[in-house]
Amino acid sequence: MMRACEKNSHVTINLDSPDLASMSSKEIEELVKSSPIVTVQVPIRRCWSYLDMISDYLDASYAFETLAKLGNTSILRRVSMQPYASVLEINISDFSLIRLSASLKNLSLAVRYPEDDEIANSDAFHQVRDSVLQHEFQMLDKPLHYPDIVEDYFSNLVNGAYHECGRANFGHELKDYPEREYGFWESAYCAGIEDKILISRNAWLVPSSVKISNALEIFGYSKESVLLDAEFVHCKNTSYALAEDKVIEVPLGSVVQALACYSEYSSDKEDFQERLGNLHSELFVSTPEIKQFRAEASKFIRQVGHDDPDFTDRESRASVLISEFSDFVVFKFSSCSVVLFDILPLSNLQAKSVGTVLTSISSGIFDELQISQECEVDWLSIDEELFEQLCWNIIYHHSKFNRNTIRKLGKSKSRDGGRDIEIWTNASAGSPPKKFIFQCKYTKRTDHSVSANNVGSISDVIDQYGAHGYGLMCNCYIDATLLDRLDGIAQNRNITRETWDRFQIEKFLSRHPTLSDKFF
């Protein structure tokens, strides 16, 4: 499919279009010559096989990386278009007409398999396919303009194609890339960088040579994200990270799997000393039995002629950090950091239950879980408009969201009393970004609760904007019945909900004094 709009001389070219495949370079040149900006699309087809899906992502990566060398290209966009699963598109401008036209002709051979046998057997087609194959082997060697596409490629390769085809087809790759056995791969965002970050669908593995703040920035998070020092406990076969008023359930198995992966990825497999050293866990305090084992291991290694690995004095511990927005937990070890996203923040009631069980360490938990007055602000000093600006700033700084996508919708004094804020989440491997709609509710009576009657039809708001998430921010309490209603809507519509009441906002402001001083 190709479209040309005479009004603004804007041409859209789908590289899967049979019309494009039948055109010569000169005809393509004639099509785009009056357009200063050309939109190029590459489809991701509806596939029954992961092999077909990764082939589409590979072709898309090759096409867009090729185009990025020919002019100024825009950010990547994902659009819906039948009959495809999705369509990836970019704009290109400031290009050489002859070079772009020739490239579009070649790229059509990369994206669409020729229906003509003569073309399919031509040298031109085989040269293009050889270039795509070369791109597959070398795409992590240099920085990429569109790493998101490559992340989707690896996510479907590691989590789909490997399982679909088994070792018979991919055994050699798993031997060369042992991290993929554990569901991890070298991130495309680190292409061309010496210090590689491994990622999976639910976690990152960051080498100790890379600061966590720098890793966050690489993946589009704010470098200024606040990480809270946390305690790590294990109780009744469940692990938790605890900080301030936050209690987060952590899948310990994911941490262990990540550490095993990094050990396999970074260690010399023939180094017995290193392999034995990896038995040491930095998560828990050493027991007398473990200390005895280390002493015996050191004695044995000296007997066989190796240097003493000095296990007996090794008492390093992992440090645990929680994102201030409870969207990820960081375990910092001596060799690497594990950043986990498949976590479960507990509700206030659930957190108190954990505190009841952990009586020996729960005093600090309960102090934070009770409503705190240490962060009081003068809510009467601002109005609806300033409150909406405050909410905008909080969402803007939220590490879960892509700050480049935030925008206000509607008018401040609308019928339901609040302006909506739209923002998209940060994309993660195998999971596209999701649209959130936040509603802001300000009141002079901060000791009252916002109820279902104050927010109107939440379902209508979600439908109006086609949102995958809903958030409510207010400077008072949130009524329990409204929270139940939000939970029901989230469950029935399979969306995510977020709520910020007065105390959560005040706690956030206590950690961001510059923002507090700006508004109060």
Side-chain angles (χ1 to χ4, degrees):
M1 181 184 297
M2 294 185 293
R3 301 190 303 273
C5 179
E6 295 182 0
K7 183 178 180 181
N8 55 13
S9 300
H10 185 196
V11 175
T12 297
I13 294 178
N14 187 327
L15 293 179
D16 189 44
S17 169
D19 296 334
L20 180 66
S22 64
M23 296 173 69
S24 66
S25 295
K26 284 293 184 182
E27 289 173 319
I28 298 174
E29 185 178 331
E30 188 69 22
L31 177 66
V32 303
K33 70 178 183 180
S34 60
S35 179
I37 300 176
V38 176
T39 297
V40 182
Q41 298 177 329
V42 178
I44 304 300
R45 301 172 182 86
R46 299 184 187 278
C47 304
W48 295 105
S49 166
Y50 280 104
L51 288 176
D52 292 336
M53 188 177 297
I54 64 174
S55 178
D56 280 357
Y57 280 118
L58 176 62
D59 293 343
S61 175
Y62 172 74
F64 288 147
E65 295 299 329
T66 299
L67 292 171
K69 300 173 184 176
L70 303 180
N72 292 329
T73 52
S74 68
I75 62 172
L76 180 72
R77 301 185 296 273
R78 300 171 188 259
V79 298
S80 299
M81 182 185 300
Q82 295 295 337
Y84 305 117
S86 65
V87 173
L88 308 179
E89 69 174 27
I90 63 171
N91 293 340
I92 181 169
S93 59
D94 299 329
F95 50 80
S96 162
L97 181 60
I98 295 176
R99 292 183 65 200
L100 178 62
S101 301
S103 182
L104 290 173
K105 178 61 180 176
N106 285 334
L107 292 177
S108 70
L109 296 176
V111 172
R112 183 180 181 87
Y113 192 91
E115 298 175 2
D116 189 313
D117 289 341
E118 184 177 347
I119 298 177
N121 293 319
S122 68
D123 290 339
F125 175 70
H126 288 297
Q127 286 174 4
V128 169
R129 293 313 307 173
D130 287 344
S131 296
V132 174
L133 187 62
Q134 185 179 25
H135 174 69
E136 181 178 23
F137 289 122
Q138 298 178 352
M139 58 188 172
L140 294 182
D141 293 345
K142 296 180 180 179
L144 295 161
H145 290 87
Y146 299 103
D148 281 355
I149 304 175
V150 178
E151 298 291 34
D152 287 337
Y153 165 84
F154 279 117
S155 179
N156 286 283
L157 172 68
V158 173
N159 298 294
Y162 283 170
H163 298 282
E164 184 177 80
C165 300
R167 287 184 173 275
N169 292 285
F170 290 108
H172 62 287
E173 286 193 17
L174 295 175
K175 183 178 180 181
D176 293 337
Y177 303 98
E179 68 275 10
R180 298 181 187 176
E181 288 264 28
Y182 298 87
F184 284 83
W185 62 90
E186 291 182 354
S187 172
Y189 281 92
C190 300
I193 300 176
E194 182 178 357
D195 294 319
K196 304 294 186 182
I197 296 176
L198 304 183
I199 69 170
S200 69
R201 297 177 67 179
N202 301 309
W204 302 344
L205 268 168
V206 183
S208 56
S209 56
V210 178
K211 293 182 179 179
I212 292 298
S213 59
N214 292 340
L216 291 171
E217 188 175 29
I218 287 173
F219 291 104
Y221 289 78
S222 170
K223 192 174 183 179
E224 290 77 33
S225 296
V226 175
L227 300 179
L228 309 174
D229 289 328
E231 295 291 338
F232 178 75
V233 297
H234 189 79
C235 175
K236 290 190 173 180
N237 298 319
T238 305
S239 300
Y240 303 97
L242 320 170
E244 293 188 353
D245 58 342
K246 307 177 189 304
V247 179
I248 297 179
E249 185 176 320
V250 177
L252 183 58
S254 295
V255 181
V256 174
Q257 178 169 321
L259 289 176
C261 172
Y262 199 76
S263 171
E264 192 78 11
Y265 173 79
S266 61
S267 301
D268 181 352
K269 309 303 180 300
E270 303 302 322
D271 189 339
F272 175 70
Q273 178 174 320
E274 174 67 21
R275 298 281 287 183
L276 193 60
N278 285 335
L279 293 173
H280 172 69
S281 169
E282 298 176 35
L283 276 174
F284 303 102
V285 177
S286 298
T287 64
E289 290 80 11
I290 291 177
K291 290 182 177 180
Q292 182 180 356
F293 166 77
R294 291 182 187 147
E296 292 175 353
S298 297
K299 181 179 179 181
F300 169 75
I301 290 175
R302 286 195 299 270
Q303 289 174 346
V304 297
H306 290 280
D307 293 334
D308 189 350
D310 196 23
F311 290 144
T312 53
D313 296 328
R314 193 172 174 184
E315 288 296 332
S316 59
R317 298 286 308 282
S319 59
V320 184
L321 305 167
I322 295 177
S323 158
E324 62 177 325
F325 301 109
S326 301
D327 54 335
F328 60 85
V329 173
V330 180
F331 287 83
K332 295 187 70 175
F333 298 92
S334 57
S335 58
C336 66
S337 293
V338 180
V339 184
L340 284 182
F341 295 91
D342 57 336
I343 58 176
L344 179 62
L346 301 189
S347 68
N348 205 26
L349 183 61
Q350 292 171 320
K352 286 184 178 180
S353 296
V354 174
T356 300
V357 177
L358 302 171
T359 53
S360 62
I361 61 171
S362 63
S363 59
I365 301 174
F366 279 108
D367 288 343
E368 288 292 342
L369 287 172
Q370 304 304 319
I371 300 300
S372 172
Q373 300 298 324
E374 65 180 2
C375 308
E376 285 191 10
V377 297
D378 183 8
W379 290 108
L380 296 179
S381 67
I382 65 172
D383 56 16
E384 292 178 2
E385 184 67 30
L386 283 174
F387 181 67
E388 289 166 3
Q389 292 180 26
L390 172 62
C391 293
W392 189 96
N393 275 271
I394 292 174
I395 298 170
Y396 180 84
H397 286 87
H398 199 310
S399 56
K400 177 179 180 177
F401 298 106
N402 181 351
R403 60 176 58 183
N404 296 320
T405 63
I406 189 170
R407 66 190 183 110
K408 291 183 179 180
L409 306 170
K411 297 180 179 179
S412 179
K413 297 190 184 234
S414 59
R415 178 166 51 87
D416 64 358
R419 176 180 293 175
D420 301 329
I421 298 174
E422 176 187 291
I423 193 167
W424 291 73
T425 60
N426 287 302
S428 59
S431 177
K434 296 179 180 179
K435 181 194 289 187
F436 264 72
I437 296 295
F438 280 85
Q439 291 190 294
C440 310
K441 302 297 175 185
Y442 173 81
T443 178
K444 297 287 187 182
R445 307 185 68 176
T446 57
D447 58 336
H448 283 216
S449 299
V450 60
S451 66
N453 295 330
N454 303 126
V455 297
S457 176
I458 299 170
S459 296
D460 287 350
V461 172
I462 295 170
D463 291 338
Q464 178 184 354
Y465 297 114
H468 303 96
Y470 174 84
L472 176 63
M473 306 184 76
C474 64
N475 67 324
C476 57
Y477 298 94
I478 299 178
D479 187 77
T481 57
L482 176 55
L483 289 173
D484 291 340
R485 180 180 171 190
L486 290 173
D487 287 338
I489 292 173
Q491 183 175 359
N492 293 334
R493 290 174 172 265
N494 192 28
I495 66 170
T496 305
R497 65 93 164 166
E498 287 216 3
T499 54
W500 285 72
D501 61 19
R502 164 191 170 184
F503 303 101
Q504 289 169 295
I505 293 176
E506 289 177 351
K507 179 68 72 175
F508 177 87
L509 291 173
S510 72
R511 294 194 294 266
H512 297 266
T514 303
L515 192 60
S516 180
D517 293 342
K518 178 180 178 181
F519 286 91
F520 300 99

